[in-house]
Amino acid sequence: LHSTLALSLLLIAVSSNLAMAIKKEKRAPQTLSRGWGDEITWVQTYEEGLYQAKKSNKPLMVIHHLEDCQYCQALKKAFAESEEIQEMAQNNFVMLNLMHETTDKNLSPDGQYVPRIMFIDPSLTVRADLTGRYSNRLYTYEPQDIPFLIENMKKALRLIQTEL
């Protein structure tokens, strides 16, 4: 009986130490973040994003990207490293990143390319007026365009406040 009790206590001590060690390790990326920001709460589908935007009165930010696209990877890295973007995305936006096209043609007004970032306001209007710097791909951003993207995020938030 004593040996069984001692063994049980030993197992409990080992497993709790192991659990604490695992907790201390950096947590695994949330699968929906796909590396865009693990602290951000991401919605799973476009439909869920629209519902959450309307319900929360926050704009929906949709990031179209592909895993094997070097431009997407570069933008993702800059996006994830920007504290200002991460903070705004976490607190003021409904966030969605997609690796496939939606059936909503309003999300590809000038073509289906990646990376492409679009904003949808809580009235479910696609904000085609919030564009990047490039005339041939209006909704694309490059890593050096992060300040421009931050400005468009702020514009998306101001548009909601002026419409209230």
Side-chain angles (χ1 to χ4, degrees), residues 45-90:
T45 64
Y46 181 54
E47 292 71 22
E48 181 188 354
L50 294 173
Y51 173 79
Q52 290 294 338
K54 192 167 190 64
K55 187 175 122 183
S56 66
N57 199 40
K58 292 179 179 179
L60 169 63
M61 183 174 177
V62 182
I63 305 169
H64 288 89
H65 64 102
L66 292 172
E67 205 57 48
D68 58 355
C69 163
Q70 66 179 356
Y71 304 104
C72 299
Q73 294 300 324
L75 180 61
K76 179 194 302 186
K77 185 177 187 304
F79 186 99
E81 289 173 355
S82 168
E83 287 181 27
E84 191 170 2
I85 284 181
Q86 294 294 304
E87 192 270 327
M88 273 196 292
Q90 191 175 350

Side-chain angles (χ1 to χ4, degrees), residues 1-14:
L1 183 66
H2 285 298
S3 61
T4 306
L5 184 59
L7 185 60
S8 296
L9 287 173
L10 180 65
L11 284 173
I12 290 169
V14 168

Side-chain angles (χ1 to χ4, degrees), residues 8-24:
S8 296
L9 287 173
L10 180 65
L11 284 173
I12 290 169
V14 168
S15 62
S16 69
N17 283 341
L18 185 61
M20 284 171 39
I22 291 170
K23 254 186 195 168
K24 284 182 187 171

Side-chain angles (χ1 to χ4, degrees), residues 63-133:
I63 305 169
H64 288 89
H65 64 102
L66 292 172
E67 205 57 48
D68 58 355
C69 163
Q70 66 179 356
Y71 304 104
C72 299
Q73 294 300 324
L75 180 61
K76 179 194 302 186
K77 185 177 187 304
F79 186 99
E81 289 173 355
S82 168
E83 287 181 27
E84 191 170 2
I85 284 181
Q86 294 294 304
E87 192 270 327
M88 273 196 292
Q90 191 175 350
N91 299 318
N92 307 108
F93 285 84
V94 175
M95 297 295 295
L96 172 65
N97 69 69
L98 290 175
M99 294 179 25
H100 58 81
E101 288 297 331
T102 67
T103 53
D104 186 344
K105 297 298 173 221
N106 294 313
L107 287 181
S108 53
D110 65 337
Q112 296 182 343
Y113 52 86
V114 291
R116 184 171 81 248
I117 299 177
M118 305 280 309
F119 296 93
I120 295 96
D121 67 28
S123 72
L124 308 186
T125 303
V126 175
R127 298 309 308 223
D129 53 337
L130 295 176
T131 60
R133 298 184 327 140

